[in-house]
Amino acid sequence: MSITATPTPAKALLNPRNHALVLIDFQSQMAFATKSIAPELLRNNAALVSNAAAGFKVPTILTTVAEKSFSGPMFSEITEAFDNQPMLDRTSMNTWEDAAVIGEVNRIGKDRLVFAGLWTSVCIVGPVLSAIEQGFEVYVITDASGDISEEAHERAVERMIQAGAKPVTALQYLLELQRDWARTETYDMTTGIARKWGGAYGLGIAYAKAMFNASEGAH
């Protein structure tokens, strides 16, 4: 039996309308002990993801733990991207055990969730395993998450993958939302985010545009 290919994307690919993003505990106290990723790269990737989600209008939940009493405010790179959207502050390490967060998940009504935050082995594993068990499809942005050691981060990622979570990276998340350079309404936004937070790829975009006025949307 032969298979006929068609020019249609896989249903498993993320787009701005088929998921909600949950950003967890990007706070100073949590970042101080994070050693699996350099703090400047963590902040960069958090900014990239946040600006991508905000720009593509992905419904996003921002949650903190003990913001006023212990852990401090969420990274400004995130709060600024979401125009100072209110935080859902918790006492539970597992975000999924907080009634206010679950209320927001149900209000948004997406059965596909994307997670990122600190720390991977506690604050990300908990809600990811809980959401999967309740029937949600779950993705984890692994390079916008971190832990107290590389070992802790990697074992947590492995555990989530074994449970069915799908790993993605920050730049991958941005480009998967755009997916076609001919989508002119979001082209400048996407390349602008990539130029600012996309590392060497962003430098390449800046160079190509400055030197040749190049555009990925043209054949």
Side-chain angles (χ1 to χ4, degrees), residues 20-32:
L21 176 67
V22 186
L23 298 179
I24 300 173
D25 301 353
F26 284 99
Q27 299 168 264
S28 301
Q29 183 63 35
M30 308 301 293
F32 291 155

Side-chain angles (χ1 to χ4, degrees), residues 54 62 73-87:
L62 306 179
M74 186 168 269
F75 294 177
S76 60
E77 291 88 347
I78 297 174
T79 58
E80 289 169 4
F82 291 102
D83 195 25
N84 296 308
Q85 174 180 321
M87 304 293 111

Side-chain angles (χ1 to χ4, degrees), residues 91-128:
T91 60
S92 62
M93 286 182 277
N94 180 4
T95 296
W96 207 259
E97 295 178 41
D98 184 85
V101 173
I102 295 307
E104 190 66 2
V105 169
N106 290 332
R107 185 193 68 79
I108 292 170
K110 302 292 184 182
D111 58 11
R112 176 178 289 174
L113 302 175
V114 179
F115 289 90
L118 305 176
W119 296 320
T120 322
S121 63
V122 181
C123 303
I124 303 302
V125 161
V128 164

Side-chain angles (χ1 to χ4, degrees), residues 130-163:
S130 302
I132 290 172
E133 187 172 287
Q134 293 182 20
F136 288 82
E137 184 180 3
V138 175
Y139 294 66
V140 179
I141 306 178
T142 56
D143 66 345
S145 301
D147 214 315
I148 60 172
S149 68
E150 290 185 17
E151 177 79 7
H153 175 76
E154 293 301 328
R155 296 297 79 74
V157 171
E158 286 184 347
R159 184 180 179 188
M160 291 185 287
I161 291 172
Q162 288 170 358

